Amino acid sequence: MKKPLALISGVLLLTSFVQSASAEWFSKDWNGMGTKIRAEVWVDEGGSVAAEKAFTAVDQEFDRLEALMSVYIDSSEVSKVNRLAAKQAVVITPELFHLIEKAQRVSELSGGAFDITFASIGKYYNYREGLEPDARQIEENLPAINYRWIEMDPAALSIHFKDPRVTIDLGGIAKGYAVDKAIEKLAGLGIQYALVSAGGDSRLMGDKHGRPWIVGVKDPRLEDKNAVLIPLENTAISTSGDYERFFMHDGVRVHHIISPKTGKSAEESQSVTIIGPDATTTDALSTTVFILGAEKGLELIEKLPGIDAIIIDRNRKMHYSSELQPPTAE
């Protein structure tokens, strides 16, 4: 059994490193894939020129994957699939095929709690304008939320929808995948210590050059406050929360994490954080456990080696998987 991770109680987000004159840490923030992207790198040689080359590589990788997978870009491969796959089998790139396969495996693992066909109803939500589907739209399209309607042919690298109402969205896994691919780019440039984050998904390469990264789990109801701090190295961490994209309607929080069973915002959790070996996995599992809730979510996590979870349920009670140590009182 691996040694439990020790958590640190606290309120300040400490993932940013303040660069000193003697240390060659460089960081950059920008927007991409509909969220805030951050990269931090330790550069042994080349200074700011080498750091900028690293940031450009990360930025280009995010741009490439957004162009491939965004449902908001008409020319993306996912948009093409949504237009055509109910009419015919659509041949797609190996990269997209394998990521959808990964999503399907998480769906099977979770009994459908994770399901990229949530978009069959999710497409009717507009969080900026405070719009949600009406009862008729939910009733007519809820049967289309079923990952089993996706038929995949590994030999042909094709995908087909067996229900004409099906729409897919990789929002629950694509950003984590992009983080992983960005880290691969940095490794290819010879970088050994780095952080890449996109919204709630982060991947840490190595430690913070001799000490752990300290990553904060945001309090879902208190602005600029953390529920807990975690020392980490060479791992991935993802948080899904009901505070990321939402609006209030008649006192009810309508957010972007949709339950496949109801077509409405999942109600069991306020925040779920997953720690694991790669961001593709932690991204998908944070959404999954958020929908399952604390009891069923922890039951799933305990079956998965190398995966840990912190859950803040709808009553703001914190739950930890067995290999995490809750913070000690100060």
Side-chain angles (χ1 to χ4, degrees), residues 193-230:
Y193 307 97
L195 172 149
V196 176
S197 67
D201 304 300
S202 299
R203 178 87 176 261
L204 312 173
M205 182 192 295
D207 59 15
K208 208 164 189 179
H209 205 260
R211 55 197 179 97
W213 297 87
I214 306 298
V215 180
V217 175
K218 176 180 168 58
D219 189 304
R221 293 295 181 268
L222 297 177
E223 191 68 28
D224 298 325
K225 302 293 183 182
N226 281 334
V228 70
L229 300 176
I230 316 170

Short mmCIF file of all heavy atoms in Angstrom, two decimals, residues 193-230:
data_model
loop_
_atom_site.label_atom_id
_atom_site.label_comp_id
_atom_site.label_asym_id
_atom_site.label_seq_id
_atom_site.Cartn_x
_atom_site.Cartn_y
_atom_site.Cartn_z
N TYR A 193 11.02 19.88 -14.94
CA TYR A 193 10.17 20.39 -13.87
C TYR A 193 9.20 21.39 -14.46
O TYR A 193 9.61 22.39 -15.06
CB TYR A 193 11.01 21.07 -12.78
CG TYR A 193 12.12 20.21 -12.24
CD1 TYR A 193 13.42 20.34 -12.73
CD2 TYR A 193 11.88 19.27 -11.23
CE1 TYR A 193 14.45 19.55 -12.25
CE2 TYR A 193 12.91 18.48 -10.74
CZ TYR A 193 14.19 18.62 -11.25
OH TYR A 193 15.21 17.84 -10.76
N ALA A 194 7.90 21.12 -14.32
CA ALA A 194 6.92 22.01 -14.93
C ALA A 194 5.53 21.76 -14.36
O ALA A 194 5.25 20.72 -13.75
CB ALA A 194 6.88 21.81 -16.45
N LEU A 195 4.68 22.73 -14.57
CA LEU A 195 3.25 22.61 -14.28
C LEU A 195 2.50 23.14 -15.49
O LEU A 195 2.87 24.18 -16.06
CB LEU A 195 2.87 23.42 -13.04
CG LEU A 195 1.37 23.57 -12.71
CD1 LEU A 195 1.17 23.69 -11.20
CD2 LEU A 195 0.75 24.81 -13.39
N VAL A 196 1.47 22.43 -15.90
CA VAL A 196 0.53 22.93 -16.91
C VAL A 196 -0.87 22.75 -16.35
O VAL A 196 -1.22 21.67 -15.86
CB VAL A 196 0.65 22.19 -18.26
CG1 VAL A 196 -0.42 22.68 -19.23
CG2 VAL A 196 2.04 22.38 -18.86
N SER A 197 -1.66 23.81 -16.38
CA SER A 197 -3.05 23.72 -15.91
C SER A 197 -3.98 24.36 -16.91
O SER A 197 -3.61 25.31 -17.61
CB SER A 197 -3.21 24.39 -14.53
OG SER A 197 -3.01 25.78 -14.63
N ALA A 198 -5.18 23.82 -16.98
CA ALA A 198 -6.24 24.37 -17.83
C ALA A 198 -7.52 24.28 -17.03
O ALA A 198 -8.07 23.20 -16.85
CB ALA A 198 -6.35 23.60 -19.14
N GLY A 199 -7.96 25.42 -16.51
CA GLY A 199 -9.14 25.41 -15.65
C GLY A 199 -8.85 24.58 -14.41
O GLY A 199 -7.90 24.82 -13.68
N GLY A 200 -9.65 23.55 -14.19
CA GLY A 200 -9.49 22.72 -13.00
C GLY A 200 -8.58 21.53 -13.17
O GLY A 200 -8.48 20.70 -12.27
N ASP A 201 -7.89 21.43 -14.31
CA ASP A 201 -7.04 20.27 -14.59
C ASP A 201 -5.57 20.67 -14.62
O ASP A 201 -5.19 21.62 -15.32
CB ASP A 201 -7.42 19.64 -15.94
CG ASP A 201 -8.88 19.25 -15.99
OD1 ASP A 201 -9.29 18.43 -15.15
OD2 ASP A 201 -9.60 19.78 -16.86
N SER A 202 -4.74 19.94 -13.86
CA SER A 202 -3.31 20.26 -13.79
C SER A 202 -2.48 18.98 -13.85
O SER A 202 -2.91 17.92 -13.40
CB SER A 202 -2.97 20.99 -12.49
OG SER A 202 -3.66 22.23 -12.40
N ARG A 203 -1.28 19.12 -14.40
CA ARG A 203 -0.30 18.03 -14.42
C ARG A 203 1.04 18.60 -13.96
O ARG A 203 1.47 19.66 -14.44
CB ARG A 203 -0.20 17.45 -15.84
CG ARG A 203 0.84 16.33 -16.00
CD ARG A 203 0.29 14.97 -15.69
NE ARG A 203 1.32 13.94 -15.95
CZ ARG A 203 1.37 13.19 -17.05
NH1 ARG A 203 0.45 13.36 -18.00
NH2 ARG A 203 2.31 12.30 -17.20
N LEU A 204 1.67 17.91 -13.03
CA LEU A 204 2.94 18.34 -12.47
C LEU A 204 4.03 17.43 -12.97
O LEU A 204 3.95 16.20 -12.81
CB LEU A 204 2.88 18.29 -10.94
CG LEU A 204 1.65 18.93 -10.29
CD1 LEU A 204 1.65 18.66 -8.79
CD2 LEU A 204 1.62 20.43 -10.57
N MET A 205 5.05 18.00 -13.58
CA MET A 205 6.20 17.23 -14.02
C MET A 205 7.31 17.38 -12.98
O MET A 205 7.82 18.47 -12.74
CB MET A 205 6.70 17.73 -15.39
CG MET A 205 7.88 16.93 -15.93
SD MET A 205 8.67 17.72 -17.36
CE MET A 205 7.34 17.65 -18.55
N GLY A 206 7.63 16.28 -12.33
CA GLY A 206 8.63 16.34 -11.27
C GLY A 206 8.12 17.10 -10.06
O GLY A 206 6.92 17.26 -9.86
N ASP A 207 9.07 17.54 -9.24
CA ASP A 207 8.69 18.37 -8.09
C ASP A 207 9.00 19.82 -8.43
O ASP A 207 9.24 20.17 -9.59
CB ASP A 207 9.42 17.91 -6.82
CG ASP A 207 10.94 17.96 -6.96
OD1 ASP A 207 11.43 18.60 -7.92
OD2 ASP A 207 11.62 17.35 -6.12
N LYS A 208 9.01 20.67 -7.42
CA LYS A 208 9.29 22.09 -7.66
C LYS A 208 10.77 22.35 -7.44
O LYS A 208 11.17 23.19 -6.65
CB LYS A 208 8.42 22.96 -6.76
CG LYS A 208 8.14 24.32 -7.36
CD LYS A 208 7.00 24.99 -6.64
CE LYS A 208 6.59 26.25 -7.40
NZ LYS A 208 5.48 26.93 -6.74
N HIS A 209 11.56 21.55 -8.13
CA HIS A 209 13.02 21.63 -8.08
C HIS A 209 13.52 21.55 -6.65
O HIS A 209 14.20 22.43 -6.14
CB HIS A 209 13.52 22.91 -8.75
CG HIS A 209 14.93 22.78 -9.27
ND1 HIS A 209 16.03 23.26 -8.59
CD2 HIS A 209 15.41 22.18 -10.39
CE1 HIS A 209 17.13 22.97 -9.28
NE2 HIS A 209 16.77 22.33 -10.38
N GLY A 210 13.16 20.43 -5.99
CA GLY A 210 13.67 20.18 -4.65
C GLY A 210 12.64 20.23 -3.55
O GLY A 210 12.92 19.85 -2.42
N ARG A 211 11.44 20.65 -3.86
CA ARG A 211 10.37 20.67 -2.86
C ARG A 211 9.04 20.42 -3.57
O ARG A 211 8.95 20.60 -4.79
CB ARG A 211 10.34 21.99 -2.10
CG ARG A 211 10.23 23.24 -2.95
CD ARG A 211 10.63 24.46 -2.15
NE ARG A 211 10.56 25.69 -2.94
CZ ARG A 211 9.54 26.52 -2.94
NH1 ARG A 211 8.48 26.25 -2.20
NH2 ARG A 211 9.55 27.62 -3.66
N PRO A 212 8.02 19.99 -2.86
CA PRO A 212 6.77 19.65 -3.54
C PRO A 212 6.02 20.88 -4.01
O PRO A 212 6.19 21.99 -3.48
CB PRO A 212 5.97 18.92 -2.44
CG PRO A 212 6.52 19.46 -1.17
CD PRO A 212 7.97 19.70 -1.41
N TRP A 213 5.21 20.68 -5.02
CA TRP A 213 4.23 21.69 -5.39
C TRP A 213 3.14 21.70 -4.32
O TRP A 213 2.76 20.65 -3.82
CB TRP A 213 3.58 21.36 -6.73
CG TRP A 213 4.51 21.33 -7.90
CD1 TRP A 213 5.25 20.27 -8.34
CD2 TRP A 213 4.79 22.41 -8.79
NE1 TRP A 213 5.98 20.62 -9.45
CE2 TRP A 213 5.71 21.93 -9.75
CE3 TRP A 213 4.35 23.73 -8.89
CZ2 TRP A 213 6.21 22.73 -10.78
CZ3 TRP A 213 4.84 24.53 -9.92
CH2 TRP A 213 5.75 24.03 -10.84
N ILE A 214 2.65 22.86 -3.98
CA ILE A 214 1.53 22.96 -3.04
C ILE A 214 0.31 23.42 -3.83
O ILE A 214 0.26 24.54 -4.34
CB ILE A 214 1.82 23.96 -1.89
CG1 ILE A 214 3.14 23.60 -1.20
CG2 ILE A 214 0.66 23.96 -0.91
CD1 ILE A 214 3.14 22.23 -0.54
N VAL A 215 -0.65 22.52 -3.97
CA VAL A 215 -1.82 22.77 -4.81
C VAL A 215 -3.05 22.98 -3.94
O VAL A 215 -3.32 22.18 -3.03
CB VAL A 215 -2.05 21.58 -5.78
CG1 VAL A 215 -3.26 21.85 -6.67
CG2 VAL A 215 -0.80 21.35 -6.63
N GLY A 216 -3.78 24.03 -4.21
CA GLY A 216 -4.96 24.34 -3.43
C GLY A 216 -6.23 23.80 -4.05
O GLY A 216 -6.42 23.85 -5.26
N VAL A 217 -7.11 23.25 -3.21
CA VAL A 217 -8.46 22.85 -3.63
C VAL A 217 -9.40 23.97 -3.21
O VAL A 217 -9.59 24.23 -2.02
CB VAL A 217 -8.88 21.52 -2.98
CG1 VAL A 217 -10.34 21.19 -3.33
CG2 VAL A 217 -7.95 20.40 -3.43
N LYS A 218 -9.98 24.64 -4.17
CA LYS A 218 -10.81 25.81 -3.90
C LYS A 218 -12.04 25.47 -3.07
O LYS A 218 -12.66 24.43 -3.27
CB LYS A 218 -11.24 26.43 -5.23
CG LYS A 218 -12.19 27.62 -5.12
CD LYS A 218 -12.54 28.15 -6.49
CE LYS A 218 -13.69 29.12 -6.43
NZ LYS A 218 -13.43 30.27 -5.55
N ASP A 219 -12.37 26.37 -2.14
CA ASP A 219 -13.65 26.25 -1.44
C ASP A 219 -14.75 26.63 -2.42
O ASP A 219 -14.72 27.73 -2.99
CB ASP A 219 -13.68 27.18 -0.23
CG ASP A 219 -14.90 26.95 0.65
OD1 ASP A 219 -16.03 27.05 0.11
OD2 ASP A 219 -14.74 26.71 1.84
N PRO A 220 -15.72 25.76 -2.66
CA PRO A 220 -16.72 26.03 -3.69
C PRO A 220 -17.69 27.15 -3.37
O PRO A 220 -18.45 27.57 -4.25
CB PRO A 220 -17.45 24.69 -3.83
CG PRO A 220 -17.23 23.99 -2.54
CD PRO A 220 -15.87 24.42 -2.07
N ARG A 221 -17.69 27.63 -2.14
CA ARG A 221 -18.64 28.68 -1.77
C ARG A 221 -17.98 29.96 -1.24
O ARG A 221 -18.66 30.95 -1.02
CB ARG A 221 -19.64 28.16 -0.72
CG ARG A 221 -20.58 27.08 -1.24
CD ARG A 221 -21.50 27.61 -2.32
NE ARG A 221 -22.41 26.59 -2.81
CZ ARG A 221 -22.16 25.82 -3.86
NH1 ARG A 221 -21.01 25.95 -4.52
NH2 ARG A 221 -23.02 24.91 -4.25
N LEU A 222 -16.67 29.92 -1.04
CA LEU A 222 -15.97 31.10 -0.52
C LEU A 222 -14.95 31.56 -1.55
O LEU A 222 -13.98 30.86 -1.84
CB LEU A 222 -15.29 30.78 0.81
CG LEU A 222 -16.21 30.38 1.97
CD1 LEU A 222 -15.40 30.02 3.20
CD2 LEU A 222 -17.20 31.51 2.28
N GLU A 223 -15.15 32.74 -2.10
CA GLU A 223 -14.28 33.26 -3.15
C GLU A 223 -12.86 33.45 -2.63
O GLU A 223 -12.63 33.96 -1.53
CB GLU A 223 -14.83 34.61 -3.64
CG GLU A 223 -14.17 35.13 -4.91
CD GLU A 223 -14.49 34.28 -6.13
OE1 GLU A 223 -15.56 33.66 -6.16
OE2 GLU A 223 -13.66 34.26 -7.05
N ASP A 224 -11.88 33.03 -3.44
CA ASP A 224 -10.45 33.19 -3.12
C ASP A 224 -10.03 32.48 -1.84
O ASP A 224 -9.05 32.86 -1.20
CB ASP A 224 -10.08 34.68 -3.03
CG ASP A 224 -10.29 35.40 -4.35
OD1 ASP A 224 -10.08 34.76 -5.40
OD2 ASP A 224 -10.68 36.57 -4.32
N LYS A 225 -10.78 31.46 -1.45
CA LYS A 225 -10.41 30.66 -0.29
C LYS A 225 -10.21 29.21 -0.72
O LYS A 225 -10.87 28.74 -1.66
CB LYS A 225 -11.48 30.72 0.81
CG LYS A 225 -11.79 32.12 1.32
CD LYS A 225 -10.63 32.73 2.07
CE LYS A 225 -11.00 34.09 2.63
NZ LYS A 225 -9.87 34.73 3.34
N ASN A 226 -9.36 28.51 -0.02
CA ASN A 226 -9.14 27.09 -0.28
C ASN A 226 -9.71 26.25 0.84
O ASN A 226 -9.67 26.63 2.01
CB ASN A 226 -7.66 26.78 -0.43
CG ASN A 226 -7.12 27.17 -1.79
OD1 ASN A 226 -7.87 27.22 -2.75
ND2 ASN A 226 -5.84 27.45 -1.86
N ALA A 227 -10.23 25.09 0.48
CA ALA A 227 -10.70 24.14 1.48
C ALA A 227 -9.54 23.35 2.05
O ALA A 227 -9.55 22.97 3.23
CB ALA A 227 -11.73 23.20 0.87
N VAL A 228 -8.52 23.10 1.22
CA VAL A 228 -7.37 22.30 1.66
C VAL A 228 -6.22 22.54 0.71
O VAL A 228 -6.42 22.93 -0.45
CB VAL A 228 -7.77 20.79 1.70
CG1 VAL A 228 -7.97 20.25 0.32
CG2 VAL A 228 -6.75 19.96 2.47
N LEU A 229 -5.00 22.33 1.20
CA LEU A 229 -3.79 22.39 0.38
C LEU A 229 -3.13 21.02 0.37
O LEU A 229 -3.15 20.31 1.38
CB LEU A 229 -2.80 23.42 0.93
CG LEU A 229 -3.30 24.88 1.02
CD1 LEU A 229 -2.24 25.74 1.69
CD2 LEU A 229 -3.64 25.41 -0.35
N ILE A 230 -2.56 20.65 -0.78
CA ILE A 230 -1.98 19.31 -0.92
C ILE A 230 -0.57 19.41 -1.48
O ILE A 230 -0.37 20.02 -2.53
CB ILE A 230 -2.82 18.45 -1.88
CG1 ILE A 230 -4.31 18.60 -1.62
CG2 ILE A 230 -2.41 16.99 -1.79
CD1 ILE A 230 -5.18 17.97 -2.67
#
